[in-house]
Amino acid sequence: MRADPPRLNRRALLAAPIALAACDRFAAAEPAAGPPAAPLKSITPCPFGAIGMTWQLDQADWVEQVRRHCSQLTPEWEQKMERTLGPGFTHDFSASDRMVAFARDNGLRVHGHTLIWYSQGGDVFNDDVPRARFAAEFDRYISSFVSRYRGRMAGWDVVNEPVAEDGDGLRDCHWSRALGMDGYMVRAFEQARAADPDAVLFLNEYNLENIPRKGATFLKLVERLLKLGAPIGGIGTQSHLNIEIPAGQITAFMRDAASLGLPIHISELDFPMQRDGGQLPDLRSTAERRAQQVARVGELAEAFMALPQRQRYAFTTWGLRDIDSWLLREEGKNRPDESPVLLDAAGGPNPAYQAVVDAFTGRAGA
């Protein structure tokens, strides 16, 4: 029986079928063969990260693979309000403490995830709470959490997923109703900065590469919040990739994001081959899906590699091995046939692994 089971609530990825461009140089990539996967932390031009939960700390094989491949760890669930916030504005950071201690003991830096998310906290921070109390508890939560690990966290996802699903404006939520649409975000960043001046503070969002309109809205939001004085230190793009998007779309977003000059975190990378929802059957062959998958991951890695070194914060996959991914786990999407991350169940290379290696070592397109 797993301890601390999460209730994951990831959104479906955009699924608009298109033909893969014939000129896409990654499309012909074959599954990696030969020796075991080289440690990813020795290949990436920045820290390589993965996620973890407390029940995995007792799995020797998971610990072994994390030690081999990772230089950074993101708690998957233990720092979300679902776990940390209780009735009456009580706080419980014990599960988070375990993850941070594990990282420290194994020489990993930690990226905090996440302080303020529209999806959680509304049962305690509800519309019946007087506004003065709401604001005071909002400040206390962030200050207590971030200061607890002052000097021990590389960065934090301070605000998570503030942009509307389709990119048309921002999400209305319990935070915005009480503190203002931009106000709650500015306030969150200010509180986090006061609690730990050295941590890099991120605005984190998904579907930025998949939906150009959402990517544009997100970048405009970053610019606006910076002008309002929010101490945003980095951009987190989750990169739950829709492998059917057109070639070049990922590159275009990364180029636009880089223009802001902030560090960029590939914060939750995965790349499922199966579509979510839709009325039409998926008639793509396995080979076509694999080619699309390898192409898109290769493009992302190349676009990330093209960033100035100072803007490469970290490259993080949402699950180290296939069996660690929320897409395969029973409490997630429960898709046992997926291969949505870089390593297979045994820690060997999945097909997309070689595309990342080629991009990060300068061999892509050779």
Side-chain angles (χ1 to χ4, degrees):
M1 178 66 68
R2 294 174 178 173
D4 297 331
R7 185 177 74 243
L8 301 177
N9 184 27
R10 307 302 313 157
R11 264 73 45 207
L13 302 180
L14 177 67
I18 60 169
L20 197 65
C23 63
D24 197 326
R25 62 180 174 278
F26 294 110
E30 296 295 330
L40 283 158
K41 65 184 180 183
S42 71
I43 296 167
T44 51
C46 61
F48 177 81
I51 54 171
M53 290 188 285
T54 49
W55 59 265
Q56 291 174 310
L57 304 184
D58 299 321
Q59 294 187 335
D61 58 336
W62 181 85
V63 171
E64 177 185 0
Q65 293 296 332
V66 167
R67 288 171 173 164
R68 175 175 173 78
H69 288 283
C70 297
S71 48
Q72 178 173 292
L73 185 67
T74 299
E76 183 174 356
W77 174 68
E78 284 76 2
Q79 293 181 338
K80 292 185 169 74
M81 276 191 180
E82 182 180 60
R83 177 62 181 84
T84 59
L85 182 67
F89 299 99
T90 56
H91 303 161
D92 180 0
F93 302 131
S94 58
S96 173
D97 287 347
R98 285 193 64 195
M99 297 303 297
V100 174
F102 169 83
R104 177 200 61 209
D105 293 345
N106 287 277
L108 305 171
R109 75 178 197 174
V110 188
H111 180 79
H113 176 80
T114 180
L115 295 173
I116 299 298
W117 186 19
Y118 80 91
S119 179
Q120 294 185 359
D123 51 342
V124 177
F125 283 92
N126 58 59
D127 293 340
D128 295 330
V129 178
R131 290 297 175 259
R133 174 79 186 279
F134 192 110
E137 293 294 351
F138 181 92
D139 293 350
R140 186 173 73 88
Y141 177 81
I142 296 173
S143 178
S144 298
F145 206 169
V146 176
S147 63
R148 187 180 189 88
Y149 306 112
R150 182 172 176 144
R152 291 191 284 165
M153 306 291 284
W156 282 95
D157 292 331
V158 176
V159 176
N160 194 48
E161 302 174 1
V163 179
E165 188 79 15
D166 61 359
D168 186 12
L170 305 181
R171 293 184 187 273
D172 175 66
C173 61
H174 47 295
W175 311 119
S176 64
R177 288 192 297 272
L179 302 172
M181 189 63 79
D182 290 345
Y184 85 88
M185 290 183 268
V186 173
R187 191 178 190 120
F189 277 97
E190 289 175 343
Q191 290 297 317
R193 168 57 68 242
D196 189 348
D198 295 325
V200 183
L201 306 181
F202 284 81
L203 192 69
N204 192 50
E205 187 57 89
Y206 73 105
N207 269 348
L208 300 178
E209 304 94 342
N210 297 335
I211 307 177
R213 182 180 186 181
K214 188 167 187 177
T217 299
F218 175 81
L219 295 179
K220 289 178 182 176
L221 172 63
V222 174
E223 290 183 304
R224 185 169 71 250
L225 293 178
L226 287 170
K227 289 178 181 178
L228 291 172
I232 298 175
I235 292 170
T237 177
Q238 295 180 15
S239 299
H240 296 291
L241 294 181
N242 169 15
I243 63 173
E244 296 181 80
I245 61 175
Q249 192 163 299
I250 294 170
T251 302
F253 170 76
M254 292 292 286
R255 182 176 59 246
D256 291 343
S259 69
L260 297 181
L262 296 172
I264 295 176
H265 185 195
I266 306 298
S267 59
E268 304 184 16
L269 174 62
D270 56 25
F271 30 90
M273 292 199 296
Q274 298 181 42
R275 292 177 186 160
D276 276 322
Q279 301 298 316
L280 298 176
D282 189 347
L283 301 179
R284 293 173 300 161
S285 67
T286 299
E288 182 181 4
R289 297 179 192 190
R290 185 69 72 192
Q292 290 174 326
Q293 183 189 59
V294 172
R296 297 290 69 76
V297 175
E299 181 184 344
L300 177 71
E302 272 209 44
F304 186 76
M305 188 63 187
L307 295 172
Q309 183 176 2
R310 64 181 179 80
Q311 288 187 263
R312 301 180 205 138
Y313 172 81
F315 196 88
T316 296
T317 56
W318 205 244
L320 182 58
R321 306 162 299 172
D322 288 338
I323 56 174
D324 304 320
S325 169
W326 71 284
L327 292 163
L328 273 72
R329 296 198 307 256
E330 290 183 2
E331 76 276 12
K333 289 287 186 180
N334 194 22
R335 298 173 176 174
D337 296 329
E338 276 281 14
S339 54
V341 289
L342 298 177
L343 301 176
D344 64 22
N350 272 332
Y353 173 93
Q354 192 60 47
V356 170
V357 171
D358 290 347
F360 286 161
T361 58
R363 294 200 295 266

